[in-house]
Amino acid sequence: MFDPLNLQVFANHTRAAAENMAYTLQRTAHSAFVKETEDFTVMLINRRGETFGVPMGLGATWYPGLTYTRAIEMIDDYKPGDVAFTNDPYSCFVATHAPDTHLWKPVFYDGEIIAWTGGHIHNTDMGGAVPASLSRALTEIHQEGIRFPPMKLVNEGVFDDDILKIMRTNVRKPDLNVGDIKALVGALNTGERKILAMVEKFGKEAFLEGADALLDHAEAQARDLLRAMPDGTWEFVDYADEDSVEANPCRLKLTLTIKGDEALLDFTGSDPQLGSSLNVPSGGDPRHTMLLVGVYYVLYTLNPKILLNTGLTRPFTCIAPKGSVLNPIAPAAVGMRSLTCARLRSVIFGAFCRAVPEKLPAAPAGNNCIVNVMTTDERTGRTVIAAVNPVVGGGGAMPHRDGTNGSGADAAYLKNTPIEITETEVPIEFIKYGLAKDSGGAGRWRGGLATEMAFRVFAPGSRITARNRDRSFFRPWGLLGGRAAGLSDMTVNPGREDYRRLGNIDTAVLQPGDVLEIRSAGGGGRGDPLDRETWRVARDVARGYVSPEAAERDYGVVIRDGLVDEVVTAALRASRSKSTAHFHYGPEREGYEAQWTPGAYDLLTEILAGLPIHWRFFTKTEIFRRMKGRVGPDGVAAALSDVSARFKEMPRPAIETKEAAE
């Protein structure tokens, strides 16, 4: 039996083992996106397929609650030296889009499997319709690249060359893919050695007991945090800017119920599965890690010493209705699920901010845009495809400090690649890379500033994909009197006659000399801006974070010759009313919800739920087309009547049948 001290010693060993795995992968990977940006995971997995050990400072932070159980069970007869893999989102709901290739390896001791090592890499490209495989415009998973259901990649230490040949034939940069996969196999081997070393140190039975005890301890920590919250039910809604090329918003709704040391997250009321790639393939798993990423962040914010493993998921139950954007059915496209997951995190943060507002920050930027370039290197004549840099945005303002600039809290694990490395590997020239002035939400504590980046291409037909473009219409919200943050944007050739604004479009073709400029959103502010000390505002102006105009407009602080005019400032602040709003969403959302009231959207949800799944997104789009000049539930009912009259083939929704009967 592990006492608290010995359990902490064991936890330190598991963390060290996972970090050794991460270092092995990072130092031997081929693509910049893995070795520099660190879009990868590694983990220690118990016999049942549950994660019990992850690194703390390396790689992605989405997967501490991931379970490989379903994937493991889809393969028979594991032997020492075997490594299995999959990148198919619908096979076992471990991989959640095709570029994420997950591998797992059995660890044998005395002839039996005592644990597994596992992890994933984000391949730069898996083939498909667009370079880097991902675009919002794709409509079915078959367009998103080659997929491999769970199968053995390595048999008793020997790679299956046929599988590698198939991959090489179907992807755009095969050497990067194969190199990164072999680096991950090396990391799994490192983890295997570390696990066996722990078994030798602690003994087999103690090791097995310790792996389970870590899960139990994380569960207990999560339950302690829930018990400290008030019992109750809270709702929160947020929107992705565009559900498809039709450009209607995608709504996510959460009803959070906390009772004692358990919580229910009911996503009923979220949009139906979409005719784009924003769907999140959870398989309806009530504890799927993609549905709970926002919960991990909340728990870690409340207790930075919490253990990160599958035990955290046990007190939580999620409801994601089948055929919804959070539980689609095949062959729905899922490649851009990370955009929806960013908004899902905002929804979870907002719901918990209703429950314990005094302890949590305002909204982070929530648009972790990842830019990929496919172009020709004029120096060598070779085609180059590479991830350039993540454009993440600002963190939400905290209860005790400003939001982090350029590093949006829930996506901060995506590290920036030094410009010198990018320009060496990719034939582009950076024009700008830094922080965007006036982009953080105003508040007693200011939201973190957005990131802005611009680069020039040199070859004809250079193709750009900038996935996860969002927050160009719905702002990251402010909290407890704080203001919403600045919006994101993407433009080609700013300041030139051939300037064009792309908004949330995530693919573009550039010609020699063209410049692409991308700006993320900022983080929301927290607390009333009139309560921010004048010296802090003056410092922000001096640093270039806030313009003098914004200082006066948003904070009521007048700056003259670099100094605060205290007399004029005091009079200006006294003339203004302080904000008492729990949330500030910005004029765009307020205008949108004046038409699409909660009642209107609830009626729309009821209508769509009464239709076969394949009719839902189509019907949503047709109702939106007919809402011009209409408002609220009556407007939705009138629009539905028009749709039913136009499309006789459409099944009559249950609500329409009920009204006819009455």
Side-chain angles (χ1 to χ4, degrees), residues 309-645:
N309 61 48
T310 305
L312 294 180
T313 69
R314 293 175 179 171
F316 299 91
T317 302
C318 298
I319 298 174
K322 186 177 181 179
S324 72
V325 66
L326 300 179
N327 183 13
I329 61 171
V334 298
M336 293 283 286
R337 57 49 169 161
S338 47
L339 188 157
T340 308
C341 286
R343 201 56 49 248
L344 179 61
R345 295 194 296 274
S346 300
V347 171
I348 291 173
F349 297 162
F352 276 95
C353 279
R354 290 195 184 278
V356 284
E358 71 282 358
K359 296 182 178 181
L360 294 174
N367 65 323
N368 52 330
C369 177
I370 297 169
V371 184
N372 292 272
V373 178
M374 181 176 179
T375 188
T376 301
D377 190 337
E378 300 293 342
R379 299 165 294 190
T380 64
R382 294 187 301 109
T383 298
V384 176
I385 179 171
V388 175
N389 246 320
V391 183
V392 172
M398 301 291 287
H400 59 288
R401 66 168 174 84
D402 294 342
T404 303
N405 292 330
S407 185
D410 58 331
Y413 66 86
L414 291 174
K415 298 175 175 60
N416 62 309
T417 302
I419 287 174
E420 296 81 0
I421 291 177
T422 301
E423 288 185 337
T424 298
E425 296 190 354
V426 188
I428 61 175
E429 178 188 12
F430 278 87
I431 307 299
K432 179 194 302 184
Y433 190 39
L435 301 175
K437 183 182 293 186
D438 292 337
S439 55
R444 164 65 181 86
W445 296 112
R446 174 182 46 74
L449 299 182
T451 306
E452 55 185 359
M453 178 177 74
F455 60 85
R456 179 182 291 113
V457 303
F458 299 100
S462 296
R463 300 178 66 185
I464 310 297
T465 60
R467 67 181 174 100
N468 303 337
R469 293 280 308 127
D470 198 40
R471 289 302 200 194
S472 68
F473 185 77
F474 293 104
R475 298 170 184 265
W477 36 267
L479 182 65
L480 300 179
R483 312 299 287 178
L487 293 168
S488 69
D489 201 6
M490 183 162 69
T491 59
V492 175
N493 297 330
R496 288 173 24 180
E497 291 184 0
D498 55 350
Y499 159 87
R500 64 185 188 273
R501 182 172 180 269
L502 300 180
N504 281 332
I505 294 173
D506 57 14
T507 60
V509 178
L510 305 183
Q511 305 305 339
D514 281 348
V515 173
L516 183 76
E517 181 172 291
I518 302 176
R519 185 181 68 247
S520 71
R526 194 179 193 281
D528 193 287
L530 298 180
D531 290 333
R532 187 169 176 81
E533 298 94 329
T534 58
W535 68 265
R536 292 188 190 274
V537 178
R539 185 179 64 181
D540 282 348
V541 171
R543 290 175 171 177
Y545 295 170
V546 175
S547 67
E549 296 77 15
E552 183 172 343
R553 180 189 68 234
D554 299 335
Y555 293 94
V557 176
V558 178
I559 305 290
R560 291 177 177 165
D561 298 324
L563 300 175
V564 177
D565 189 323
E566 298 287 359
V567 175
V568 176
T569 293
L572 181 59
R573 285 187 158 187
S575 69
R576 296 183 178 179
S577 299
K578 289 191 174 183
S579 172
T580 58
H582 195 96
F583 295 105
H584 178 252
Y585 300 111
E588 299 83 3
R589 174 166 170 174
E590 291 168 1
Y592 176 74
E593 290 186 333
Q595 178 187 35
W596 279 97
T597 63
Y601 227 112
D602 288 344
L603 177 58
L604 175 67
T605 300
E606 186 178 357
I607 291 167
L608 299 178
L611 291 171
I613 291 173
H614 67 283
W615 275 93
R616 293 176 185 173
F617 179 67
F618 170 83
T619 304
K620 174 200 170 182
T621 302
E622 293 299 326
I623 289 176
F624 264 79
R625 285 175 177 165
R626 289 162 175 79
M627 279 294 287
K628 185 175 182 180
R630 291 169 167 164
V631 176
D634 290 342
V636 173
L640 173 63
S641 180
D642 290 351
V643 174
S644 296

Side-chain angles (χ1 to χ4, degrees), residues 61-62 64 222 225-226 229 254 256 263-265 267 286 288-303 306 308 311-318 341 344-349 351-352 360 410:
T61 53
W62 285 17
L225 292 173
L226 286 172
M229 299 179 190
L254 169 60
L256 169 67
L264 175 68
L265 288 79
F267 296 103
H288 195 284
T289 195
M290 297 301 280
L291 300 178
L292 290 173
V293 175
V295 169
Y296 306 150
Y297 282 100
V298 169
L299 297 176
Y300 194 79
T301 298
L302 297 175
N303 178 9
I306 200 166
L308 297 179
L312 294 180
T313 69
R314 293 175 179 171
F316 299 91
T317 302
C318 298
C341 286
L344 179 61
R345 295 194 296 274
S346 300
V347 171
I348 291 173
F349 297 162
F352 276 95
L360 294 174
D410 58 331

Side-chain angles (χ1 to χ4, degrees), residues 25-40 121-125 173 175-177 179-180 370-373 384-390 413-426 430:
L25 174 54
Q26 182 192 36
R27 291 169 177 171
T28 58
H30 286 220
S31 71
F33 202 57
V34 174
K35 65 187 178 184
E36 295 290 343
T37 306
E38 295 187 19
D39 194 346
F40 66 79
I121 51 170
H122 181 101
N123 291 114
T124 302
D125 179 87
K173 299 303 290 183
D175 289 345
L176 292 183
N177 285 38
D180 285 348
I370 297 169
V371 184
N372 292 272
V373 178
V384 176
I385 179 171
V388 175
N389 246 320
Y413 66 86
L414 291 174
K415 298 175 175 60
N416 62 309
T417 302
I419 287 174
E420 296 81 0
I421 291 177
T422 301
E423 288 185 337
T424 298
E425 296 190 354
V426 188
F430 278 87

Side-chain angles (χ1 to χ4, degrees), residues 172-218:
R172 291 177 174 86
K173 299 303 290 183
D175 289 345
L176 292 183
N177 285 38
V178 174
D180 285 348
I181 286 172
K182 289 185 175 182
L184 180 53
V185 170
L188 302 190
N189 293 340
T190 296
E192 178 185 35
R193 291 194 299 271
K194 295 297 180 179
I195 285 176
L196 293 176
M198 282 190 281
V199 171
E200 292 298 324
K201 180 179 181 63
F202 296 99
K204 173 186 168 183
E205 295 305 319
F207 170 82
L208 295 173
E209 179 187 345
D212 287 343
L214 291 179
L215 301 185
D216 294 341
H217 186 61

